Amino acid sequence: MVPPDAPSIPALIRMARLPFLPGGILLFFFGVLCAAWNGAAVQIDLLLLPLLVLLTGQASVSFSNDYFDRQSDRKGMQTPLSGGSGVLLVRPDLAGAARRIALLLIAVSVLSAAVCVVFTAIPPVFFPFAVAGALTGWYYTAPPLSLAYRGMGEAATMTAFGLFMPGAGYIAAAGELNAGFAVIMLPLLCLGLFFILTVELPDLECDRAVEKWTYVARNGRKNAYRLIASTAAAGSGLFLAGAAVSLIYPAIAAASLLPLAVGIAGLRSPDHRGNAIAAAKLNMAALKAFLLLSCIALAVSLL
Protein backbone atom coordinates (compact mmCIF):
# COMPACT_ATOMS: atom_id res chain seq x y z
CA MET A 1 0.00 0.00 0.00
CA VAL A 2 1.21 3.52 -0.81
CA PRO A 3 1.62 5.71 2.32
CA PRO A 4 -0.36 8.99 2.34
CA ASP A 5 2.82 11.05 2.27
CA ALA A 6 4.44 9.12 -0.59
CA PRO A 7 6.12 11.27 -3.29
CA SER A 8 3.93 11.75 -6.34
CA ILE A 9 6.22 10.23 -8.97
CA PRO A 10 6.69 6.83 -7.26
CA ALA A 11 2.96 6.74 -6.55
CA LEU A 12 2.13 7.41 -10.20
CA ILE A 13 4.61 4.75 -11.31
CA ARG A 14 2.87 2.29 -8.99
CA MET A 15 -0.43 3.26 -10.61
CA ALA A 16 0.95 2.11 -14.00
CA ARG A 17 0.95 -1.48 -12.64
CA LEU A 18 4.10 -2.33 -14.57
CA PRO A 19 4.05 -6.06 -13.64
CA PHE A 20 1.04 -6.44 -15.96
CA LEU A 21 2.90 -5.19 -19.04
CA PRO A 22 4.83 -8.44 -19.70
CA GLY A 23 1.50 -10.13 -20.42
CA GLY A 24 0.86 -7.67 -23.25
CA ILE A 25 4.40 -8.16 -24.54
CA LEU A 26 3.94 -11.93 -24.60
CA LEU A 27 0.65 -11.63 -26.49
CA PHE A 28 2.26 -9.24 -28.99
CA PHE A 29 5.13 -11.61 -29.69
CA PHE A 30 2.78 -14.57 -29.74
CA GLY A 31 1.14 -12.84 -32.71
CA VAL A 32 4.52 -12.05 -34.30
CA LEU A 33 5.80 -15.61 -33.94
CA CYS A 34 2.56 -17.18 -35.19
CA ALA A 35 2.78 -14.93 -38.27
CA ALA A 36 6.37 -16.07 -38.81
CA TRP A 37 5.36 -19.72 -38.38
CA ASN A 38 2.71 -19.13 -41.05
CA GLY A 39 5.38 -17.89 -43.45
CA ALA A 40 5.64 -14.13 -42.81
CA ALA A 41 9.08 -12.57 -43.28
CA VAL A 42 9.48 -10.70 -40.01
CA GLN A 43 11.39 -7.41 -40.04
CA ILE A 44 12.60 -6.77 -36.50
CA ASP A 45 12.86 -3.00 -37.04
CA LEU A 46 9.13 -2.86 -37.84
CA LEU A 47 8.16 -4.30 -34.46
CA LEU A 48 9.32 -1.54 -32.12
CA LEU A 49 6.74 1.15 -32.91
CA PRO A 50 3.78 -1.28 -32.93
CA LEU A 51 4.99 -2.59 -29.58
CA LEU A 52 5.06 0.99 -28.27
CA VAL A 53 1.47 1.41 -29.52
CA LEU A 54 0.42 -1.64 -27.54
CA LEU A 55 2.31 -0.85 -24.32
CA THR A 56 1.18 2.77 -24.07
CA GLY A 57 -2.40 1.73 -24.78
CA GLN A 58 -2.19 -1.03 -22.16
CA ALA A 59 -0.63 1.29 -19.56
CA SER A 60 -3.35 3.87 -20.14
CA VAL A 61 -5.95 1.33 -19.00
CA SER A 62 -4.24 1.00 -15.60
CA PHE A 63 -4.55 4.76 -15.03
CA SER A 64 -8.09 5.11 -16.38
CA ASN A 65 -9.33 2.11 -14.39
CA ASP A 66 -7.84 3.52 -11.20
CA TYR A 67 -9.48 6.88 -11.92
CA PHE A 68 -12.97 5.66 -12.81
CA ASP A 69 -12.97 2.88 -10.19
CA ARG A 70 -11.65 5.07 -7.37
CA GLN A 71 -14.99 5.18 -5.54
CA SER A 72 -15.82 1.49 -5.94
CA ASP A 73 -12.29 0.45 -4.92
CA ARG A 74 -12.92 2.01 -1.49
CA LYS A 75 -15.43 -0.73 -0.76
CA GLY A 76 -13.14 -3.56 -1.80
CA MET A 77 -9.77 -4.98 -0.91
CA GLN A 78 -6.79 -4.81 -3.21
CA THR A 79 -5.19 -8.09 -4.33
CA PRO A 80 -2.17 -8.68 -6.59
CA LEU A 81 -4.60 -9.26 -9.48
CA SER A 82 -7.56 -6.99 -8.81
CA GLY A 83 -8.78 -3.93 -7.00
CA GLY A 84 -6.56 -1.47 -8.86
CA SER A 85 -3.24 -0.12 -7.63
CA GLY A 86 -4.72 1.31 -4.42
CA VAL A 87 -2.87 4.60 -4.94
CA LEU A 88 -5.92 6.86 -5.21
CA LEU A 89 -7.35 5.45 -2.00
CA VAL A 90 -4.56 7.14 -0.04
CA ARG A 91 -3.60 9.85 -2.54
CA PRO A 92 -6.94 11.15 -3.91
CA ASP A 93 -5.13 14.33 -4.89
CA LEU A 94 -3.54 12.36 -7.75
CA ALA A 95 -6.89 11.54 -9.39
CA GLY A 96 -6.64 14.37 -11.91
CA ALA A 97 -3.08 13.40 -12.78
CA ALA A 98 -4.18 9.78 -13.34
CA ARG A 99 -6.86 10.86 -15.81
CA ARG A 100 -4.45 13.17 -17.68
CA ILE A 101 -1.79 10.47 -17.89
CA ALA A 102 -4.33 7.97 -19.21
CA LEU A 103 -5.34 10.40 -21.97
CA LEU A 104 -1.71 11.26 -22.72
CA LEU A 105 -0.82 7.59 -23.09
CA ILE A 106 -3.76 7.07 -25.44
CA ALA A 107 -2.56 10.04 -27.49
CA VAL A 108 0.95 8.59 -27.65
CA SER A 109 -0.46 5.21 -28.68
CA VAL A 110 -2.63 6.67 -31.45
CA LEU A 111 0.10 9.02 -32.73
CA SER A 112 2.60 6.15 -32.75
CA ALA A 113 0.13 4.11 -34.80
CA ALA A 114 -0.14 7.01 -37.26
CA VAL A 115 3.65 7.19 -37.52
CA CYS A 116 3.70 3.43 -38.20
CA VAL A 117 1.43 3.66 -41.22
CA VAL A 118 2.80 6.94 -42.62
CA PHE A 119 6.54 6.34 -42.27
CA THR A 120 6.97 2.55 -42.24
CA ALA A 121 5.73 -0.43 -44.18
CA ILE A 122 3.01 -1.18 -41.61
CA PRO A 123 -0.31 -1.29 -43.55
CA PRO A 124 -2.96 1.45 -43.08
CA VAL A 125 -5.35 -1.00 -41.37
CA PHE A 126 -3.10 -0.82 -38.32
CA PHE A 127 -4.26 2.72 -37.47
CA PRO A 128 -8.02 2.09 -37.04
CA PHE A 129 -7.09 -1.20 -35.36
CA ALA A 130 -5.00 0.68 -32.76
CA VAL A 131 -7.66 3.36 -32.26
CA ALA A 132 -10.33 0.70 -31.67
CA GLY A 133 -8.09 -0.98 -29.11
CA ALA A 134 -7.43 2.31 -27.29
CA LEU A 135 -11.14 3.17 -27.16
CA THR A 136 -12.03 -0.28 -25.87
CA GLY A 137 -9.53 0.15 -23.04
CA TRP A 138 -10.77 3.65 -22.16
CA TYR A 139 -14.46 2.80 -22.17
CA TYR A 140 -13.91 -0.35 -20.14
CA THR A 141 -14.62 1.83 -17.10
CA ALA A 142 -15.11 5.35 -18.52
CA PRO A 143 -18.63 6.73 -18.98
CA PRO A 144 -20.90 6.83 -20.82
CA LEU A 145 -20.23 3.22 -21.85
CA SER A 146 -18.62 1.94 -18.61
CA LEU A 147 -18.51 -1.53 -20.13
CA ALA A 148 -17.34 -3.29 -16.97
CA TYR A 149 -20.33 -1.90 -15.05
CA ARG A 150 -22.89 -2.94 -17.67
CA GLY A 151 -22.08 -6.62 -18.05
CA MET A 152 -19.89 -6.11 -21.12
CA GLY A 153 -16.46 -6.07 -19.49
CA GLU A 154 -15.88 -9.72 -20.37
CA ALA A 155 -16.47 -9.10 -24.08
CA ALA A 156 -14.14 -6.08 -24.03
CA THR A 157 -11.35 -8.02 -22.31
CA MET A 158 -11.76 -11.03 -24.59
CA THR A 159 -11.38 -8.70 -27.56
CA ALA A 160 -8.25 -7.09 -26.12
CA PHE A 161 -6.68 -10.44 -25.21
CA GLY A 162 -7.65 -12.37 -28.33
CA LEU A 163 -7.66 -9.67 -31.02
CA PHE A 164 -5.97 -6.37 -30.27
CA MET A 165 -2.82 -7.50 -28.44
CA PRO A 166 -1.79 -10.50 -30.55
CA GLY A 167 -3.27 -8.83 -33.63
CA ALA A 168 -0.92 -5.87 -33.28
CA GLY A 169 2.04 -8.24 -33.46
CA TYR A 170 0.54 -10.27 -36.29
CA ILE A 171 -0.11 -7.18 -38.43
CA ALA A 172 3.39 -5.85 -37.73
CA ALA A 173 4.88 -9.16 -38.89
CA ALA A 174 2.52 -10.26 -41.66
CA GLY A 175 1.08 -6.94 -42.86
CA GLU A 176 -2.48 -8.20 -42.49
CA LEU A 177 -4.90 -10.22 -40.41
CA ASN A 178 -5.45 -13.35 -42.48
CA ALA A 179 -6.90 -16.82 -42.01
CA GLY A 180 -3.78 -17.86 -40.12
CA PHE A 181 -4.59 -15.27 -37.46
CA ALA A 182 -8.22 -16.34 -37.25
CA VAL A 183 -7.06 -19.83 -36.29
CA ILE A 184 -5.22 -18.53 -33.22
CA MET A 185 -7.66 -15.72 -32.44
CA LEU A 186 -10.58 -18.01 -31.59
CA PRO A 187 -8.83 -19.99 -28.83
CA LEU A 188 -7.20 -16.78 -27.55
CA LEU A 189 -10.65 -15.24 -27.18
CA CYS A 190 -11.51 -18.21 -24.95
CA LEU A 191 -8.40 -17.62 -22.87
CA GLY A 192 -9.29 -13.94 -22.70
CA LEU A 193 -12.52 -14.96 -20.97
CA PHE A 194 -10.49 -17.26 -18.71
CA PHE A 195 -8.33 -14.24 -17.83
CA ILE A 196 -11.08 -11.75 -16.99
CA LEU A 197 -13.13 -14.24 -14.97
CA THR A 198 -9.98 -15.00 -13.00
CA VAL A 199 -9.49 -11.29 -12.27
CA GLU A 200 -13.13 -10.95 -11.20
CA LEU A 201 -13.11 -13.89 -8.78
CA PRO A 202 -11.79 -12.06 -5.67
CA ASP A 203 -14.04 -9.01 -6.16
CA LEU A 204 -17.51 -10.56 -6.07
CA GLU A 205 -18.63 -8.89 -2.85
CA CYS A 206 -17.22 -5.47 -3.71
CA ASP A 207 -18.58 -5.52 -7.26
CA ARG A 208 -22.06 -6.37 -6.05
CA ALA A 209 -21.90 -3.57 -3.48
CA VAL A 210 -21.11 -0.94 -6.13
CA GLU A 211 -23.35 -2.53 -8.81
CA LYS A 212 -20.46 -3.40 -11.08
CA TRP A 213 -22.18 -6.22 -12.88
CA THR A 214 -19.39 -8.53 -13.90
CA TYR A 215 -20.17 -12.14 -14.73
CA VAL A 216 -18.95 -13.23 -11.29
CA ALA A 217 -21.05 -10.56 -9.54
CA ARG A 218 -24.16 -11.64 -11.47
CA ASN A 219 -23.72 -15.39 -11.30
CA GLY A 220 -21.53 -16.21 -8.30
CA ARG A 221 -18.16 -17.88 -7.95
CA LYS A 222 -19.32 -21.47 -8.42
CA ASN A 223 -20.71 -20.68 -11.86
CA ALA A 224 -17.57 -18.68 -12.61
CA TYR A 225 -15.34 -21.66 -11.75
CA ARG A 226 -17.41 -23.80 -14.11
CA LEU A 227 -17.14 -21.26 -16.92
CA ILE A 228 -13.40 -20.85 -16.35
CA ALA A 229 -12.91 -24.61 -16.75
CA SER A 230 -15.23 -24.71 -19.77
CA THR A 231 -13.55 -21.82 -21.56
CA ALA A 232 -10.10 -23.32 -20.91
CA ALA A 233 -11.36 -26.60 -22.37
CA ALA A 234 -12.72 -24.76 -25.42
CA GLY A 235 -9.41 -22.96 -25.91
CA SER A 236 -7.40 -26.18 -25.66
CA GLY A 237 -9.81 -27.96 -27.96
CA LEU A 238 -9.43 -25.28 -30.62
CA PHE A 239 -5.63 -25.27 -30.29
CA LEU A 240 -5.56 -29.07 -30.53
CA ALA A 241 -7.84 -29.04 -33.57
CA GLY A 242 -5.58 -26.49 -35.26
CA ALA A 243 -2.49 -28.54 -34.47
CA ALA A 244 -4.14 -31.70 -35.82
CA VAL A 245 -4.51 -30.12 -39.27
CA SER A 246 -1.11 -28.37 -39.11
CA LEU A 247 -2.55 -24.85 -38.75
CA ILE A 248 -1.10 -24.37 -35.25
CA TYR A 249 2.30 -25.32 -33.92
CA PRO A 250 1.69 -28.44 -31.78
CA ALA A 251 3.65 -27.14 -28.78
CA ILE A 252 1.06 -24.35 -28.38
CA ALA A 253 -1.70 -26.92 -28.06
CA ALA A 254 0.34 -28.82 -25.47
CA ALA A 255 1.02 -25.64 -23.45
CA SER A 256 -2.69 -24.79 -23.47
CA LEU A 257 -3.29 -27.81 -21.24
CA LEU A 258 -1.81 -25.81 -18.33
CA PRO A 259 -4.73 -23.35 -18.02
CA LEU A 260 -7.09 -26.29 -18.57
CA ALA A 261 -5.54 -28.25 -15.69
CA VAL A 262 -5.81 -25.40 -13.19
CA GLY A 263 -9.29 -24.53 -14.47
CA ILE A 264 -10.45 -28.05 -13.72
CA ALA A 265 -8.74 -27.96 -10.32
CA GLY A 266 -10.63 -24.75 -9.52
CA LEU A 267 -13.95 -26.61 -9.71
CA ARG A 268 -13.22 -27.92 -6.22
CA SER A 269 -12.52 -24.47 -4.72
CA PRO A 270 -14.79 -23.49 -1.81
CA ASP A 271 -16.96 -20.47 -2.43
CA HIS A 272 -15.24 -17.81 -0.35
CA ARG A 273 -12.82 -14.99 -1.03
CA GLY A 274 -9.64 -16.47 0.40
CA ASN A 275 -9.85 -19.50 -1.88
CA ALA A 276 -10.83 -17.27 -4.80
CA ILE A 277 -7.61 -15.26 -4.41
CA ALA A 278 -5.54 -18.46 -4.31
CA ALA A 279 -7.33 -19.87 -7.37
CA ALA A 280 -6.90 -16.58 -9.24
CA LYS A 281 -3.14 -16.56 -8.60
CA LEU A 282 -2.84 -20.14 -9.84
CA ASN A 283 -4.93 -19.44 -12.94
CA MET A 284 -2.86 -16.39 -13.80
CA ALA A 285 0.42 -18.26 -13.33
CA ALA A 286 -0.80 -21.00 -15.69
CA LEU A 287 -1.90 -18.46 -18.28
CA LYS A 288 1.46 -16.67 -18.20
CA ALA A 289 3.26 -20.03 -18.41
CA PHE A 290 1.18 -20.93 -21.47
CA LEU A 291 2.12 -17.72 -23.26
CA LEU A 292 5.80 -17.90 -22.31
CA LEU A 293 6.21 -21.56 -23.25
CA SER A 294 4.33 -21.03 -26.53
CA CYS A 295 6.55 -18.09 -27.49
CA ILE A 296 9.72 -20.01 -26.61
CA ALA A 297 8.59 -23.07 -28.56
CA LEU A 298 7.66 -20.97 -31.60
CA ALA A 299 10.96 -19.07 -31.48
CA VAL A 300 12.96 -22.32 -31.28
CA SER A 301 10.98 -23.80 -34.18
CA LEU A 302 11.94 -20.85 -36.37
CA LEU A 303 15.69 -21.14 -35.76
Side-chain angles (χ1 to χ4, degrees), residues 115-193:
V115 171
C116 283
V117 303
V118 172
F119 296 104
T120 76
I122 302 293
V125 68
F126 186 75
F127 181 75
F129 185 84
V131 171
L135 291 175
T136 299
W138 174 256
Y139 285 114
Y140 181 76
T141 49
L145 299 183
S146 303
L147 298 172
Y149 288 81
R150 301 175 186 272
M152 295 181 285
E154 292 80 21
T157 304
M158 288 172 67
T159 304
F161 192 101
L163 174 61
F164 292 125
M165 289 183 170
Y170 201 98
I171 293 174
E176 61 179 350
L177 292 178
N178 52 31
F181 179 73
V183 173
I184 65 168
M185 181 185 74
L186 293 176
L188 285 178
L189 288 172
C190 294
L191 292 182
L193 182 55

Side-chain angles (χ1 to χ4, degrees), residues 209-232:
V210 299
E211 298 185 346
K212 186 177 183 179
W213 297 117
T214 66
Y215 178 89
V216 178
R218 297 194 311 273
N219 299 283
R221 288 196 181 102
K222 282 297 184 183
N223 286 323
Y225 285 127
R226 295 186 188 102
L227 185 54
I228 285 170
S230 298
T231 197

Side-chain angles (χ1 to χ4, degrees), residues 250-270:
I252 297 176
S256 74
L257 297 176
L258 289 171
L260 175 58
V262 297
I264 292 173
L267 292 172
R268 302 178 62 184
S269 295

Side-chain angles (χ1 to χ4, degrees), residues 38-178:
N38 285 327
V42 179
Q43 295 178 252
I44 300 299
D45 59 315
L46 289 183
L47 302 181
L48 297 180
L49 266 179
L51 182 58
L52 176 65
V53 171
L54 183 146
L55 290 178
T56 50
Q58 182 183 355
S60 75
V61 176
S62 295
F63 286 95
S64 61
N65 283 359
D66 261 24
Y67 177 78
F68 291 109
D69 281 344
R70 65 192 187 281
Q71 299 303 326
S72 61
D73 285 345
R74 294 186 183 281
K75 298 186 179 182
M77 184 181 297
Q78 184 190 7
T79 75
L81 301 176
S82 63
S85 70
V87 171
L88 295 183
L89 301 184
V90 293
R91 289 293 307 272
D93 57 299
L94 293 178
R99 184 177 186 276
R100 290 190 294 273
I101 291 172
L103 291 171
L104 176 62
L105 288 168
I106 289 174
V108 172
S109 181
V110 171
L111 287 173
S112 298
V115 171
C116 283
V117 303
V118 172
F119 296 104
T120 76
I122 302 293
V125 68
F126 186 75
F127 181 75
F129 185 84
V131 171
L135 291 175
T136 299
W138 174 256
Y139 285 114
Y140 181 76
T141 49
L145 299 183
S146 303
L147 298 172
Y149 288 81
R150 301 175 186 272
M152 295 181 285
E154 292 80 21
T157 304
M158 288 172 67
T159 304
F161 192 101
L163 174 61
F164 292 125
M165 289 183 170
Y170 201 98
I171 293 174
E176 61 179 350
L177 292 178
N178 52 31

